[in-house]
Amino acid sequence: MSAPGTDQGPEGTTTSEAGRTAAKADDLRPAAREARTEYVARFVPLVAGIAAVVIAAVLGVLIALRSGGLPFEIDEEWAEDVFEFRGGIWDVFAFGMDELGGGIMGVFVVPIAIAATLLVIRRPWAALYFIVASAASAIMVQVLKNLFGRARPEDILVVSDFGSFPSGHVANAATIAVAIGIIAPRRWVWIASAIYTFLMAVSRTYVGAHWLTDTIGGALVGAGMALLTWTLFARKLEAERLRRAAIIAERNAATAQSHITPPARARS
């Protein structure tokens, strides 16, 4: 006896159960899989990117409401702790990160070098994505800097431009980290990129160019803009990555085949 409102299907299967089975079968079809992949590739990074940039903007508003950008308690405590390490090898590290992440080196040399490398390995869409993401991140940083106009810490060791929030160096590092992680999705790439971004944030507070909350805002802006830009290039990047993976697989197979000793001929 079937439940009220449920029709009996063949071999005792109800129509509702058959519908669920058909829905699962549709999920296995190539067209359905492609549609779902396209949805995830565009929707997830779009939402995550918008959320990151919005959180950074909200943080900027909270900072601006504190009597024109006065530091939070955590900003001051972090600065006091990190300033204790000033001197010696730590200066070399911090000043090196300052040169690497900003100025001509950070804004032009590093992005162009990475894009050129991607072109050499035949990843033109990846190169274009990286350049667009870097430019979008830099523009957003300048917009927020001029919007909030937070003063930098007084005990600063390097020459910097106007505006402390968000950190342009950290935003640049986060953009590079996320973009490279998207272009070459490997666990070690993500780990190395996260470490690079963290070290950049520490170095910016070490030299007194930013408060801790500035670096948090910079990381959010950089990662958010990289994700938002990804939505424009998601399909092209994935197709390009799969083509390159296929070429490498064929090359490796050919190399392996060339090293196989041919079977000995039978003696007549």
Side-chain angles (χ1 to χ4, degrees), residues 49-61 63-64 136-152 161-168 171 210 213-214 216-225:
I50 292 175
V53 175
V54 168
I55 292 172
V58 170
L59 178 58
V61 171
I63 291 171
S137 177
I139 292 172
M140 181 58 69
V141 165
Q142 292 304 314
V143 169
L144 295 179
K145 278 179 178 289
N146 286 276
L147 179 63
F148 298 116
R150 189 185 198 184
R152 293 183 183 272
D161 60 1
F162 169 79
S164 185
F165 181 90
S167 169
H210 293 284
T213 47
D214 297 334
I216 295 174
L220 288 169
V221 170
M225 296 310 297

Side-chain angles (χ1 to χ4, degrees), residues 9 13 15 43 54 121 136 152 163 199:
T13 303
T15 54
F43 180 75
V54 168
I121 63 175
R152 293 183 183 272
L199 292 178

Side-chain angles (χ1 to χ4, degrees), residues 57-136:
V58 170
L59 178 58
V61 171
L62 293 176
I63 291 171
L65 293 176
R66 287 179 57 83
S67 301
L70 289 177
F72 293 96
E73 184 177 352
I74 190 175
D75 288 327
E76 295 177 331
E77 292 179 352
W78 176 268
E80 290 177 2
D81 291 339
V82 77
F83 287 173
E84 293 181 359
F85 292 92
R86 283 183 170 179
I89 189 65
W90 298 112
D91 281 0
V92 177
F93 156 74
F95 292 138
M97 296 295 284
D98 177 64
E99 290 293 333
L100 181 63
I104 296 178
M105 179 66 70
V107 177
F108 296 104
V109 176
V110 172
I112 292 175
I114 293 176
T117 301
L118 291 170
L119 289 175
V120 169
I121 63 175
R122 298 181 181 179
R123 296 289 305 273
W125 282 108
L128 180 60
Y129 159 66
F130 184 83
I131 291 296
V132 172
S134 298

